[in-house]
Amino acid sequence: MRTMIARGAVAALAATALAGSLAGSASAQTAHTKKTASAQTVHTKKTVYSQKAKPTTKSIRLDAGCNFISNGRKKAGQACFKKNGDRVWIRDTARDGMRIEVRGSVNSKGQPGYRCYGNYKGGWQVCNFDRKMAEGHVFLWYVNKWKGNKLKGTSDEKMMVTS
């Protein structure tokens, strides 16, 4: 029971930090923010590694490392994280004009962030973060659906260990 509560607290902290750290769409963005604490200015450097998913002819086995987002009653998209190679697999399953994205982070401060986005082309697409993700860390991630620049839905969070 204590373990479940501790994991929930870690996930909540990570999600809070992650929400503010994942804006933008360049391949590796850096933003400087200012925080004021008792007349002191602190500069924080935020990095987000962003990739457009590449089409693949391979398919993936759906398992506990996968997450889904719905569009009402129908499944709108699905994504999987495979720790061997630190790859994010993404598939848009609805022709509804929305874009499916995976966003995540590898620590509780939301640094660095990761973003994998695809489009409706039918089939799986892959983002490879193998050289970007630290080994042996927890990757906290979720699936979003977007219409233009407006967020239309978010899945539950998943936590997986990188390798």
Side-chain angles (χ1 to χ4, degrees), residues 14 18 22 63-68 78-82 87-89 101-106 114 133 138-144 154-161:
L18 183 61
L22 293 177
D63 59 16
C66 297
N67 207 347
F68 307 90
Q78 53 195 59
C80 300
F81 176 73
K82 295 302 178 185
R87 287 181 171 77
V88 174
W89 293 68
E101 289 186 1
V102 168
R103 293 186 179 211
S105 177
V106 293
Y114 297 90
M133 280 189 181
V138 174
F139 178 49
L140 176 71
W141 62 280
Y142 52 91
V143 184
N144 286 334
T154 300
S155 71
D156 291 334
E157 298 170 330
K158 283 281 191 177
M159 293 174 31
M160 305 290 296
V161 176

Side-chain angles (χ1 to χ4, degrees), residues 43-142:
H43 295 277
T44 307
K45 185 176 178 181
K46 293 186 178 189
T47 301
V48 177
Y49 296 103
S50 185
Q51 288 184 18
K52 180 173 181 174
K54 295 181 177 152
T56 182
T57 56
K58 297 179 181 178
S59 62
I60 193 163
R61 185 177 65 121
L62 300 177
D63 59 16
C66 297
N67 207 347
F68 307 90
I69 190 163
S70 64
N71 194 5
R73 291 183 172 193
K74 297 184 338 184
K75 192 185 306 178
Q78 53 195 59
C80 300
F81 176 73
K82 295 302 178 185
K83 68 180 187 176
N84 292 339
D86 296 326
R87 287 181 171 77
V88 174
W89 293 68
I90 191 168
R91 184 167 89 169
D92 190 336
T93 57
R95 291 183 185 210
D96 56 4
M98 293 193 206
R99 175 180 80 250
I100 301 298
E101 289 186 1
V102 168
R103 293 186 179 211
S105 177
V106 293
N107 68 23
S108 64
K109 294 185 178 164
Q111 293 292 325
Y114 297 90
R115 176 178 173 247
C116 176
Y117 60 97
N119 56 11
Y120 188 84
K121 293 282 186 185
W124 287 101
Q125 299 172 26
V126 180
C127 290
N128 184 349
F129 294 112
D130 192 28
R131 303 261 185 233
K132 305 287 186 209
M133 280 189 181
E135 304 299 322
H137 285 77
V138 174
F139 178 49
L140 176 71
W141 62 280
Y142 52 91

Side-chain angles (χ1 to χ4, degrees), residues 25 28 34-35 131:
S25 62
K34 294 181 182 179
K35 293 182 181 179
R131 303 261 185 233

